[in-house]
């Protein structure tokens, strides 16, 4: 009697190929969404202080952009272990970034949950808006599903 191995399901990570997240994040409109997100994030003076005063950003702004793109790709299309590891790495970097904003005099921490929520929501809204404008058709239900899916990435 021949034995058969049971097929192990593929680990698609936080999102699956049929997710709205995969559809939106695979589209070239993500580039426009990313630029829009950066512009919106720049409206928060504490977010800008964290970026401006970050030694890592000052030394290598293009590398920072590349690392951000890589993070989005891994958390979107990577397996679960890779996505979680990317999140842990970003959290570790954010824990080290803190100081006083030169303009407002306010203290900031890059790991402040409210600041992180601002950044995340700006990305989600920007990726969604860019896709709807330049990418493809998206029903309101799919847009809601995307926002719901992105809670996983925000966590």
């Amino acid at each position: 009697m021949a034995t058969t191995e049971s097929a192990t399901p593929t680990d698609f990570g936080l999102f699956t190929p049929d997710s709205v997240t995969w559809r939106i994040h695979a589209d070239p409109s993500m580039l426009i969404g990313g630029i829009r997100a950066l512009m919106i994030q720049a409206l928060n003076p504490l977010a800008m202080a964290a970026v401006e005063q970050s030694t890592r950003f000052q030394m290598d702004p293009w590398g920072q952009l590349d690392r951000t793109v890589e993070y989005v790709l891994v958390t979107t299309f990577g397996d679960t272990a890779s996505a979680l590891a990317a999140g842990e790495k970003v959290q570790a970097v954010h824990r080290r970034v803190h100081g006083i904003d030169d303009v407002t005099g306010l203290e900031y921490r890059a790991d402040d949950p409210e600041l992180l929520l601002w950044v995340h929501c700006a990305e989600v809204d920007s990726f969604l808006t860019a896709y709807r404008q330049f990418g493809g058709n998206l029903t309101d239900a799919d847009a809601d599903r995307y926002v719901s899916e992105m809670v996983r990435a925000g966590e």
Side-chain angles (χ1 to χ4, degrees):
M1 181 170 171
T3 59
T4 58
E5 285 187 39
S6 62
T8 21
T10 301
D11 177 8
F12 289 111
L14 302 180
F15 310 103
T16 60
D18 65 339
S19 68
V20 181
T21 298
W22 269 40
R23 185 178 352 152
I24 291 174
H25 290 195
D27 193 85
S29 64
M30 280 287 289
L31 297 171
I32 297 166
I35 293 167
R36 181 183 186 269
L38 291 172
M39 293 174 72
I40 292 172
Q41 292 163 1
L43 295 173
N44 185 314
L46 300 183
M48 284 311 301
V51 169
E52 181 183 19
Q53 295 177 15
S54 167
T55 305
R56 193 172 193 181
F57 177 78
Q58 293 296 329
M59 292 174 53
D60 186 16
W62 292 111
Q64 180 64 43
L65 181 60
D66 186 51
R67 287 185 291 276
T68 301
V69 169
E70 180 67 19
Y71 170 79
V72 172
L73 290 174
V74 169
T75 57
T76 301
F77 303 110
D79 60 42
T80 303
S82 298
L84 295 176
E88 290 170 9
K89 185 176 180 180
V90 167
Q91 289 173 7
V93 169
H94 282 115
R95 278 193 292 274
R96 295 190 303 263
V97 178
H98 53 83
I100 304 292
D101 175 21
D102 294 335
V103 176
T104 65
L106 297 173
E107 184 177 343
Y108 68 85
R109 289 183 5 256
D111 65 347
D112 174 4
E114 288 186 26
L115 193 54
L116 291 171
L117 184 60
W118 169 263
V119 168
H120 182 69
C121 288
E123 288 176 356
V124 171
D125 182 69
S126 294
F127 296 157
L128 180 57
T129 298
Y131 184 81
R132 287 187 119 171
Q133 271 310 115
F134 308 108
N137 293 325
L138 200 65
T139 65
D140 289 344
D142 279 347
D144 288 344
R145 186 172 152 208
Y146 174 68
V147 172
S148 180
E149 290 172 2
M150 290 309 296
V151 169
R152 284 180 244 153
E155 292 171 339

